Amino acid sequence: MDWNLIGSIFWKFSLGVSLLALTALAGYLCAAVGSLRNSLNSIRNTLNSVENMVNQEIGELITDVDKTVKEVNEELPQLLQNLNGLTAS
Protein backbone atom coordinates (compact mmCIF):
# COMPACT_ATOMS: atom_id res chain seq x y z
CA MET A 1 0.00 0.00 0.00
CA ASP A 2 0.97 3.51 -0.60
CA TRP A 3 1.92 5.45 2.55
CA ASN A 4 0.43 8.65 1.13
CA LEU A 5 -2.95 6.95 0.83
CA ILE A 6 -2.73 5.61 4.39
CA GLY A 7 -1.70 9.06 5.66
CA SER A 8 -4.55 10.70 3.79
CA ILE A 9 -7.11 8.23 5.19
CA PHE A 10 -5.72 8.62 8.72
CA TRP A 11 -5.79 12.44 8.44
CA LYS A 12 -9.39 12.45 7.13
CA PHE A 13 -10.50 9.97 9.81
CA SER A 14 -8.84 12.05 12.56
CA LEU A 15 -10.43 15.22 11.19
CA GLY A 16 -13.85 13.54 11.10
CA VAL A 17 -13.55 12.33 14.70
CA SER A 18 -12.41 15.79 15.80
CA LEU A 19 -15.35 17.44 14.04
CA LEU A 20 -17.77 14.97 15.67
CA ALA A 21 -16.27 15.71 19.07
CA LEU A 22 -16.58 19.47 18.47
CA THR A 23 -20.20 19.02 17.37
CA ALA A 24 -20.96 17.05 20.53
CA LEU A 25 -19.25 19.71 22.64
CA ALA A 26 -21.23 22.49 20.93
CA GLY A 27 -24.46 20.55 21.53
CA TYR A 28 -23.58 20.07 25.19
CA LEU A 29 -22.77 23.77 25.58
CA CYS A 30 -26.07 24.76 23.95
CA ALA A 31 -27.96 22.42 26.29
CA ALA A 32 -26.08 23.78 29.31
CA VAL A 33 -26.82 27.39 28.31
CA GLY A 34 -30.47 26.51 27.76
CA SER A 35 -30.67 24.86 31.16
CA LEU A 36 -29.01 27.88 32.77
CA ARG A 37 -31.47 30.18 31.00
CA ASN A 38 -34.40 28.13 32.29
CA SER A 39 -32.98 28.24 35.81
CA LEU A 40 -32.53 32.01 35.64
CA ASN A 41 -36.11 32.42 34.37
CA SER A 42 -37.35 30.28 37.25
CA ILE A 43 -35.39 32.39 39.75
CA ARG A 44 -36.76 35.59 38.17
CA ASN A 45 -40.32 34.28 38.42
CA THR A 46 -39.78 33.28 42.04
CA LEU A 47 -38.36 36.71 42.91
CA ASN A 48 -41.30 38.41 41.19
CA SER A 49 -43.73 36.28 43.21
CA VAL A 50 -41.91 37.09 46.44
CA GLU A 51 -41.89 40.79 45.56
CA ASN A 52 -45.63 40.74 44.92
CA MET A 53 -46.29 38.92 48.20
CA VAL A 54 -44.10 41.33 50.16
CA ASN A 55 -45.76 44.34 48.52
CA GLN A 56 -49.18 42.93 49.40
CA GLU A 57 -48.21 42.21 53.01
CA ILE A 58 -46.57 45.62 53.43
CA GLY A 59 -49.66 47.27 51.97
CA GLU A 60 -51.85 45.49 54.52
CA LEU A 61 -49.44 46.39 57.32
CA ILE A 62 -49.43 50.05 56.32
CA THR A 63 -53.23 50.03 56.24
CA ASP A 64 -53.35 48.51 59.73
CA VAL A 65 -50.83 51.03 61.08
CA ASP A 66 -52.81 53.87 59.51
CA LYS A 67 -56.01 52.65 61.20
CA THR A 68 -54.23 52.34 64.54
CA VAL A 69 -52.76 55.85 64.28
CA LYS A 70 -56.19 57.28 63.44
CA GLU A 71 -57.76 55.51 66.43
CA VAL A 72 -55.02 56.72 68.76
CA ASN A 73 -55.39 60.28 67.43
CA GLU A 74 -59.13 60.13 68.06
CA GLU A 75 -58.70 58.89 71.63
CA LEU A 76 -55.64 60.97 72.49
CA PRO A 77 -57.48 64.09 73.77
CA GLN A 78 -59.57 61.98 76.17
CA LEU A 79 -56.48 60.08 77.28
CA LEU A 80 -54.59 63.33 77.93
CA GLN A 81 -57.53 64.72 79.86
CA ASN A 82 -57.65 61.59 82.03
CA LEU A 83 -53.91 61.80 82.57
CA ASN A 84 -54.15 65.47 83.59
CA GLY A 85 -56.93 64.55 86.00
CA LEU A 86 -54.76 61.84 87.55
CA THR A 87 -51.76 64.09 87.95
CA ALA A 88 -53.88 66.88 89.44
CA SER A 89 -55.23 64.63 92.12
Side-chain angles (χ1 to χ4, degrees), residues 3-78:
W3 289 107
N4 286 334
L5 178 65
I6 294 173
S8 174
I9 292 173
F10 178 76
W11 181 81
K12 289 177 183 177
F13 178 75
S14 299
L15 181 62
V17 169
S18 298
L19 289 175
L20 283 174
L22 283 174
T23 303
L25 179 63
Y28 172 77
L29 289 175
C30 287
V33 168
S35 175
L36 180 63
R37 182 173 178 235
N38 289 340
S39 297
L40 290 175
N41 283 336
S42 176
I43 290 170
R44 182 178 59 205
N45 291 338
T46 302
L47 288 174
N48 285 338
S49 297
V50 168
E51 180 184 16
N52 289 336
M53 286 176 23
V54 167
N55 284 340
Q56 181 180 3
E57 293 297 322
I58 287 177
E60 291 177 12
L61 180 64
I62 288 173
T63 301
D64 290 345
V65 167
D66 187 50
K67 286 179 185 177
T68 304
V69 167
K70 285 180 182 178
E71 288 174 6
V72 168
N73 282 341
E74 289 173 2
E75 296 176 8
L76 189 60
Q78 181 65 33

